[in-house]
Amino acid sequence: MDALLFLTFAGIAVLCAINLILQTHPISSALSLVGVMGALAVLYLLLGGAFIAAVQLIVYAGAVMVLFLFVIMLLNAQAERTTSKPAIRAWVSVPLLFTFVILLASLIIQRAPAGAAVRFGEFTGGSVANVGRALFTTYLLPFEITSILILIAILGAIVLARKEI
Amino acid sequence: MPAEITQLLPAAVPLSWYLVLSAILFTLGVAGFLFRRNIITVFMSIELMLNAVNLTFVAFSYHLKQVDGHIFSFFVMVVAAAEATVGLAIILTVFKNRATLEIDEVSSMKL
Amino acid sequence: MNFYIVTLIKTGLVAAVLLTFCAYLVWIERKVLAHIQLRPGPYRVGPHGLLQPLSDLIKLVTKEGVIPANVNMFYYLLAPFLSVALALVSIAVIPFGPVVEVFGVKTQMGLTDLDIGVLVVLAMSSLGVYGMVIGGWASNSKYSLMGSLRSSAQMVSYELPMALAIVAPLLLVNTLSFREIVAAQEGFYFGVLPKWNIFAGPLPQAFSFLLFMIAAFAETNRVPFDLPEAETELVAGFHTEYSSTMFAAFFTAEYASITTICCVASLLFLGGWHPLWPAEYGSDFAPVALFLGAALILFFHGAQAVKARMWDRFTFPAFGVVMLGLAGLFLVPFLKPLLVPLFWFAAKTGLLIFVFIWIRGTLPRFRYDQLMRFAWLTLFPAAVVNLLVTGLAVALTTN
């Protein structure tokens, strides 16, 4: 059951990711990315990360991607034009990327801790209470710094969106 | 579920499967970043890479039975949200000034 | 396998009840609005228009589904499906009553109980915007696009005050599971005042409740925040180009999300299925009294039926008998532990839904800039201050 669920949602994630880079229209790409995020949220649940799965949906899929869609629709972005020049970089980089991913995968399979397996329900440390406790004790300083980061991001966005620039 | 399928699959998912999935997603993100010319799609490829890394964090968090990986991916999400805000504001400004979203055309330093 | 069968039965039951209720919510809304405006409302199909939802359904399903030219077909068809699916999913984490035993099977009333139940509802409501955005964009129409742009900005803005308003009562109950939230609200102060979150110490959450309800109006795109479908400016907003079953899907999604959000409000703030006053003062007999009263009113009006409404002479007593039967059900000892919590939960949720309709009959629509200004300059700061004060009160009273 675990393996079946993993394969299903891993398949969805990979297919959506491939769709993301193949689609020419930005809206299709954005919705494929939402699909990837949804599938990853299910995988987080399988890994015992209930909180992170919910945050993935609320922050990533529910806010960041809506912002993307909003900007795409606001700019009325059209489908990418196909260029006439044969993309030589595609001929070079696709095999390169393939080699890269195969090397990476073999390295991971070699080096991965032997016998490490994921069974749903064996680790429930990712509950809201645990994450919250770690966030407000061990990681308090980084947490506060991220709030400053967000403040800077808000200011940056407001400055950039002013009319005069 | 038929018995043949259940026998084909392992009872528990090896940790390396999650890591390989993460590697595949990361590579796809890199591919999107390199091939696409629409600035918004390039930006989304970066988000895909960040998501792939998050999966690794959460998978190792499971393996080590510690919550720290979740915290890291939480921080990654916060940074990604901040990045999306500023990045999209930059894209809006670029579009306002140059009326294009193709990165190849946004190559000159001056208008 | 027992678990799967029980879950399957419960899912079927909840889906059937929810969808029927959504259909009848349209009738209730039209009736209430009509009576607010001194009109009779739907009257032709069935006694007092009671079969109107059925005829609406037949009309919508048998109508020709017009697909306009130059729409993006895949996304155009995906949007209503996405909309209705995401609106219906979150009912899965809502409990309707305590754990009960039916025919020897011990089960909870409600589909499931997650540790992150509140977060699931928030996630689904934030994902619900996709249906509108995709539908508006794929329709290839100015009005739809404007409607969906407005809705995406509005939903993202109002999610923040809503989440902050939810966090404040969560500080009091220390859990994110709906069942535990309700369990924490059991009991009474001084034997009379219920320990619901809007009354509970150290800080009554009535203000959070108000903030939550305001944000809920905006999240479900209802008057006075129904800008995405402002008919005076945008024809019908994001679903302008939809007809037939696809339009019905958007409609169902709207009513399902209203129902869900009212359920969440009554669970978080109004004590879920706990009665308004203690059982020793006879709260178990409130449903009996209510249905008995309804039956008496129906019998009285049936006897007094005017000539213009001849059929009332037969239909009113018939419904009176139904009400008597319902009142009798609450007296059966076997059904009592099942039905009484359900009654209180349904009563609270129904009251909140009535408030939704009442507001629609009362308030005019905001202008779009007023809406955004209200979200960011009034509601959001108020929610932050409310959260800080609640946090301070909780920190000072607990060790």
Side-chain angles (χ1 to χ4, degrees), chain B residues 4-95:
Chain B
E4 299 87 58
I5 299 177
T6 15
Q7 278 167 7
L8 270 179
L9 296 170
V13 187
L15 185 70
S16 52
W17 288 18
Y18 281 94
L19 302 178
V20 169
L21 172 67
S22 166
I24 293 171
L25 289 179
F26 189 85
T27 317
L28 285 170
V30 173
F33 183 80
L34 292 178
F35 294 146
R36 301 308 303 272
R37 288 187 310 282
N38 189 316
I39 192 164
I40 298 177
T41 320
V42 169
F43 203 18
M44 285 192 280
S45 305
I46 299 175
E47 298 286 335
L48 180 59
M49 287 191 258
L50 288 175
N51 265 287
V53 174
N54 272 353
L55 181 62
T56 321
F57 275 134
V58 177
F60 273 118
S61 189
Y62 178 92
H63 178 60
L64 299 172
K65 303 283 187 278
Q66 284 172 357
V67 80
D68 304 58
H70 296 205
I71 307 281
F72 286 142
S73 44
F74 177 76
F75 283 136
V76 170
M77 283 180 195
V78 173
V79 172
E83 175 211 327
T85 324
V86 178
L88 288 172
I90 292 175
I91 289 173
L92 274 175
T93 317
V94 166
F95 186 80

Side-chain angles (χ1 to χ4, degrees), chain A residues 28 31 34 61 65 70 73 128, chain C residues 75 129-130 137 148-149 152 176:
Chain A
S28 308
L31 293 174
V34 175
M65 289 319 292
F70 191 73
M73 283 169 28
V128 182
Chain C
Y75 293 123
V129 71
Y130 280 108
W137 174 77
S148 65
L149 273 178
S152 53
L176 286 173

Side-chain angles (χ1 to χ4, degrees), chain A residues 1 19 23 25 27-29 31 34 45 50-51 54 57-58 60-63 65-67 69-70 73-74 76 127-128, chain C residues 4 72 75 78 115-116 119-120 122-124 126-127 129-130 133-134 136-137 145 148-150 152-153 156 159 176 368:
Chain A
M1 195 67 183
N19 198 41
Q23 289 288 338
H25 203 290
I27 290 238
S28 308
S29 298
L31 293 174
V34 175
L45 276 180
F51 174 72
L57 285 183
I58 295 173
Y60 252 137
M65 289 319 292
V66 172
L67 202 61
L69 279 183
F70 191 73
M73 283 169 28
L74 202 67
N76 196 16
S127 67
V128 182
Chain C
Y4 292 101
N72 190 322
Y75 293 123
L78 177 71
D115 291 341
I116 49 164
L119 291 179
V120 170
L122 276 179
M124 288 309 147
S126 65
L127 288 183
V129 71
Y130 280 108
V133 171
I134 297 171
W137 174 77
L145 189 67
S148 65
L149 273 178
R150 283 180 176 189
S152 53
V156 171
E159 245 158 47
L176 286 173
Y368 191 61

Side-chain angles (χ1 to χ4, degrees), chain C residues 267-383:
Chain C
L267 289 170
L268 277 178
F269 296 97
L270 301 180
W273 50 84
H274 294 314
L276 183 55
W277 65 90
E280 52 261 35
Y281 299 122
S283 67
D284 285 0
F285 295 100
V288 182
L290 187 82
F291 284 115
L292 215 58
L296 287 180
I297 291 172
L298 283 168
F299 285 137
F300 176 75
H301 281 285
Q304 296 225 322
V306 289
K307 208 167 182 202
R309 300 178 185 177
M310 277 292 290
W311 285 105
D312 284 0
R313 199 162 299 168
F314 308 104
T315 54
F316 273 23
F319 278 99
V321 171
V322 172
M323 291 292 165
L324 275 184
L326 281 175
L329 278 185
F330 281 90
L331 288 174
V332 182
F334 165 67
L335 289 173
K336 212 170 147 186
L338 198 73
L339 287 179
V340 171
L342 200 61
F343 166 80
W344 282 107
F345 182 68
K348 288 167 191 173
T349 310
L351 196 71
L352 291 177
I353 291 174
F354 174 76
V355 170
F356 266 71
I357 301 171
W358 186 10
I359 299 270
R360 177 170 174 189
T362 314
L363 288 185
R365 183 179 298 129
F366 275 91
R367 224 170 48 221
Y368 191 61
D369 59 319
Q370 291 171 334
L371 173 93
M372 294 311 259
R373 185 163 298 139
F374 180 68
W376 288 106
L377 297 184
T378 312
L379 208 57
F380 183 61

